[in-house]
Amino acid sequence: MRLPFALPSAAPRTRGSMPPKFGTSGLRGLVADLTPSLVRAYVGAFLSTCPHGGTVLVGRDLRPSSLGIAEVVFSAVQAADLVAVDCGEVPTPALAQAALARGAAAVMVTGSHIPADRNGLKFYVPSGEISKANEARIVEAYAAGTVPNPGSGSFERDQTAGAAWCDRIVEAFGTRALAGLSIGIYRHSSVARDLLEDALSALGARAVPLGQSEVFVPVDTEAIELSTRQRLTAWCAEHRLDAIVSTDGDGDRPMLADSRGRIVSGDLLGVITARAVGAERIATPISSNDAVERMGLQVTRTRIGSPHVIAALEAAGGRCVGFEANGGFIMGFDGRGPEGPLPALMTRDALLPIVASLAIPGGLQTALAALPSRFTAARKVEEIDRPAGEALIAELDSDAEARSIFFGATGMIGNVDRTDGLRVVFEDGHAVHLRLSGNAPEFRVYAQADDADTADGLAAAYTDRVALRVRR
């Protein structure tokens, strides 16, 4: 086995950083803090408290640290006298789909969209993504030092999960779904980059690979940087593309830009996809575009994070789907696509919303034009002083006068929502939502308005205002 990826003394903790902890989706932390002993202990806590079916599938993204962490996960699974299955470099939803088909548990080694100096673990039981109740039991067992009795489980390799993930969508939409379209694939360092090319080609599109990186690029599909947006626009013009697609690092968040390189927000992709699959009810976080309510659909609003969305989706039952502002789509029922069955997949997925939005009759622009004129924008302040961020949220939450001063330039406040962070809705209908990341030194700023420029302007203005208070 390789030398472990990091040692406890690899790097000092910087001001504002956090020890590994669970956030909106999985355990994350600095690679220097994800020591072999910590990883073994968390995997042991998972296996001792959650169903696993005797087998654990293990996947990983393309971060430099992910293979080393995966090897520690293999050893922890075998020490629990279980079967460890190496699924290789594979998107998170593909791993989840494979585990569901096999009746097995799964562990995905990924830090999603955050920088390469961080990584993490996502846990799946045989029925899908772990719940917040599962998470609480894992944390309790970890704190108690619970570990399985030493065993000698076996090891296998099965790297077919990615192909099966593509097949699910091709069977549902058919081999002519994207015929005639030229679609750029921004490859960067997404673990889904090869599979995206395979799937779009199988659906009839001309796939054009773009921008592959040999170092890890932390693409946050919810807050695309200006330099990336400019590259997308240039690529569309240069290659005469109908769209450009990509995902975050582990393939559960979509990125889609139109023929002019303009990003379509993930929550609008979610609305289009929900209509395309015939959903009757939707679960989505408080940060998502409220166009979904304006369309008359039944909506349950949740806290941010796929476990909260899945819990609401399961409670609703029936033809219910979930999606987040980042575009990750959760198919909550066995449905049908234009050409075949579309099985449920109870975790965030990037491939379905990309394909459903591009294959819509009349095209993407027609689908967007049919939606209410409601736009979202998201930005973030990185490397924050976390106590300062917590103090800012607490002050704006509890002090009406401070809240009025901070938000006064935008207008009169009509409503304050504290579902997750602090969301302020102004009397003119514009909204600004402030929230601390659960497991990274980041402060998120979301905005909604009736036109894209206003939403972008609000997000930019409040990001600058927050940065003055929280940046280290």
Side-chain angles (χ1 to χ4, degrees), residues 134 346 379:
N134 293 139
M346 293 291 277
R379 298 199 180 192

Side-chain angles (χ1 to χ4, degrees), residues 57-118:
L57 278 57
V58 183
R60 61 185 184 274
D61 66 13
L62 300 181
R63 293 163 189 271
S65 60
S66 291
L67 177 57
I69 298 175
E71 289 175 340
V72 178
V73 176
F74 298 148
S75 68
V77 172
Q78 291 174 274
D81 207 21
L82 304 176
V83 180
V85 181
D86 178 10
C87 293
E89 295 171 344
V90 65
T92 295
L95 182 72
Q97 179 182 314
L100 182 66
R102 190 161 171 166
V107 179
M108 178 70 182
V109 180
T110 180
S112 187
H113 61 283
I114 58 179
D117 66 339
R118 300 170 186 276

Side-chain angles (χ1 to χ4, degrees), residues 286 392-398 403 406-407 413 415-425 432-436 443-444 446:
I286 191 66
L392 175 60
I393 291 287
E395 177 187 352
L396 298 178
D397 184 10
S398 62
R403 190 162 59 242
F406 188 85
F407 293 103
I413 296 173
N415 179 52
V416 177
D417 190 310
R418 299 174 173 84
T419 301
D420 197 335
L422 188 75
R423 185 174 188 267
V424 172
V425 181
V432 174
H433 182 181
L434 308 180
R435 178 182 178 274
L436 279 165
F443 198 115
R444 295 276 180 169
Y446 308 89

Side-chain angles (χ1 to χ4, degrees), residues 330-353:
I330 303 164
M331 185 73 184
F333 64 97
D334 289 329
R336 286 192 64 83
E339 296 294 329
L342 181 63
L345 183 55
M346 293 291 277
T347 194
R348 289 190 307 210
D349 179 35
L351 187 55
L352 174 57

Side-chain angles (χ1 to χ4, degrees), residues 90-91 94 159-167 195:
V90 65
Q159 301 188 359
T160 62
W165 181 59
C166 295
D167 289 345
L195 294 171

Side-chain angles (χ1 to χ4, degrees), residues 437-454:
S437 170
N439 52 13
E442 298 176 350
F443 198 115
R444 295 276 180 169
V445 179
Y446 308 89
Q448 286 192 47
D450 289 335
D451 65 89
D453 289 342
T454 299

